[in-house]
Amino acid sequence: MAALGWLTPRRRSATARSVLAGEASAEAARKTALTPGTDAAADTDTAVDADLHADLHADIEADLRAVYEDTLDEIPEPEFPVPGDDLAAAFFDLDNTVMQGAAIFHFGRGLYKREFFRRRELARFAWQQAWFRLAGVEDPNHMQDARDSALSIVKGHKVSELMAIGEEIYDEYMAERIWPGTRALAQAHLDAGQKVWLVTAAPVETATIIARRLGLTGALGTVAESVDGVYTGRLVGEPLHGPAKAEAVRALAAAEALDLERCAAYSDSHNDIPMLSLVGHPYAINPDTKLRKHARAHDWRLRDYRTGRKAVKVGVPAAAGVGAIAGGAAAAIALHRRRK
C-alpha cells in the first residue's frame, strides 16, 4: 500500500523543519565549496586536460556554429549569464536535471555491491528507481521512503568511509548519466565567473562529490546527522525537498550576498517551483507535465534534453553562445575518453 502513496503528491509549505534543513544545508555547502581560483582538475582524475579542452573547443565550435546560427539570429536577447556579475549565481537541481535518474538510487546500488545490505533491499531500490524513471516526477513520500532506507543502511558508518565509497560509486553509476546539455548550461555560468551550486534532496556528501567532479562550486543537499564523524541515522531538519530547497537557496544567497533577482535556477520538477520562483531567471529542464504548464504560464524558459532533436533545437539559451555549447560538449567528450 505504501507504493500507492507515491502516486499522490502532496503540496507542502515551508515549515520550521524545512527552514532548519535549508540553513543546515547552506552551512554545509559553504564549508565544502571550492574557493575562487581553485583548480578542480588538479584534484580529480576526471578533470578535463586544458590542452585537450582547447583543441576540442576549437573543433566543436566550428561544427556547431552552422547548426545554431539560425537559432541565434532568430532569438535576440540580452547576454546571459552576464560576465563578471558577482552578485549572481546559478542553482541546479540534480535528479533528472543534471543527471538521468536519482542519485540516491545509484548510491544504493553501489552500497549493495559492497554488501552494505541484502538482495531484498536492492529489489526495493530497483523498484523505486524504475518508478522514478517511468513517472518522470519526484514525489515527497516516494523520495522520503528511499532516504529512510538509505539512512538505516549508513547508520553507524563513518562519514569519511561513505565519502570514499561515494567517489567510487560516482565513477561506476553516475558519470555516464550526466546530461551534456545541462552541463553546458552550468559551464556557461562558470565561464561568466559565477558560482554554480547543485541543489538536491540527495545526501549533501554525495551531492558534493558530484559537484566537484563536474567542476562546480559546491552543493546543497540533505544533511544527515553525525556525531564524532559517525552517522546517527537521523536527519538535520528534513530532506531537502520542495520548500526546503528554496530555504537552502535563500540562506546561501544571504550568506554569499547574492541578488536572487540576478540569479538563475534550473529544475525538472514541479516540486521545485518554490526554488525556481525565488530567482529572476528560472529554467524548466526536462520538465514534468505540471512544471511545463507552470513554466509556460509564467513565461519561463524551457529546455528538453530527453530527445536528440529537441536538444539541438532548444539546447541552450541563445545568449550563452556557441562557445559555451562547444565548451560543454568538449568537456563531456574529454571526460568520456578519460574513463575508457
Side-chain angles (χ1 to χ4, degrees):
M1 292 298 293
L4 295 179
W6 302 348
L7 302 177
T8 56
R10 296 174 175 83
R11 296 184 64 85
R12 301 178 303 137
S13 59
T15 64
R17 290 180 63 82
S18 63
V19 172
L20 175 61
E23 292 177 347
S25 183
E27 181 180 357
R30 299 192 77 212
K31 287 180 179 178
T32 58
L34 293 177
T35 56
T38 299
D39 183 5
D43 298 327
T44 67
D45 57 5
T46 61
V48 180
D49 179 83
D51 293 334
L52 175 59
H53 184 283
D55 292 340
L56 286 170
H57 187 286
D59 293 340
I60 297 173
E61 182 170 1
D63 292 337
L64 289 180
R65 185 172 297 279
V67 176
Y68 282 90
E69 60 184 3
D70 291 338
T71 302
L72 292 174
D73 291 338
E74 292 172 2
I75 313 176
E77 60 182 35
E79 185 173 11
F80 182 80
V82 179
D85 186 358
D86 58 5
L87 294 181
F91 301 94
F92 284 79
D93 170 55
L94 175 59
D95 296 345
N96 218 32
T97 302
V98 171
M99 182 179 69
Q100 299 176 52
I104 189 69
F105 301 128
H106 301 313
F107 188 64
R109 291 173 63 194
L111 292 182
Y112 172 76
K113 179 179 178 181
R114 291 159 178 81
E115 299 183 347
F116 271 67
F117 54 92
R118 296 170 296 178
R119 185 179 298 274
R120 181 177 180 180
E121 284 82 6
L122 177 64
R124 186 177 187 180
F125 270 103
W127 159 244
Q128 291 168 336
Q129 172 67 352
W131 185 93
F132 179 84
R133 290 176 67 87
L134 289 172
V137 297
E138 299 173 1
D139 177 87
N141 294 326
H142 176 197
M143 304 303 287
Q144 176 69 64
D145 188 62
R147 279 182 289 277
D148 286 345
S149 299
L151 284 169
S152 66
I153 291 168
V154 303
K155 181 180 180 180
H157 287 276
K158 293 182 178 180
V159 174
S160 58
E161 175 190 9
L162 270 295
M163 285 290 288
I165 291 174
E167 296 279 358
E168 298 173 0
I169 292 175
Y170 176 85
D171 289 330
E172 293 170 3
Y173 299 112
M174 301 181 189
E176 299 300 327
R177 297 177 181 274
I178 302 299
W179 291 107
T182 312
R183 178 67 186 87
L185 290 173
Q187 188 62 48
H189 286 278
L190 293 171
D191 291 345
Q194 297 177 6
K195 293 183 177 180
V196 177
W197 305 85
L198 291 181
V199 189
T200 174
V204 68
E205 293 85 1
T206 300
T208 299
I209 289 170
I210 297 171
R212 286 181 174 175
R213 290 301 190 95
L214 295 177
L216 309 183
T217 307
L220 295 157
T222 296
V223 178
E225 182 185 76
S226 63
V227 175
D228 296 329
V230 177
Y231 289 113
T232 66
R234 295 186 295 270
L235 294 181
V236 177
E238 64 180 14
L240 203 71
H241 188 274
K245 279 189 179 182
E247 293 300 328
V249 170
R250 196 192 312 275
L252 184 62
E256 295 277 315
L258 299 173
D259 182 351
L260 285 171
E261 279 298 313
R262 295 155 79 166
C263 293
Y266 302 78
S267 178
D268 72 295
S269 174
H270 69 279
N271 292 304
D272 288 338
I273 289 176
M275 177 182 75
L276 294 170
S277 300
L278 277 180
V279 302
H281 302 277
Y283 285 76
I285 304 294
N286 306 328
D288 61 34
T289 301
K290 290 184 179 180
L291 178 57
R292 183 181 294 274
K293 181 178 180 180
H294 186 91
R296 286 175 172 168
H298 291 78
D299 199 27
W300 292 356
R301 300 296 295 273
L302 290 92
R303 301 286 178 264
D304 201 321
Y305 303 114
R306 288 170 293 192
T307 65
R309 185 174 180 82
K310 287 183 179 179
V312 169
K313 288 185 175 180
V314 295
V316 295
V322 174
I325 305 167
I333 293 172
L335 290 174
H336 180 69
R337 287 180 177 175
R338 283 189 169 228
R339 293 192 186 96
K340 287 187 175 181

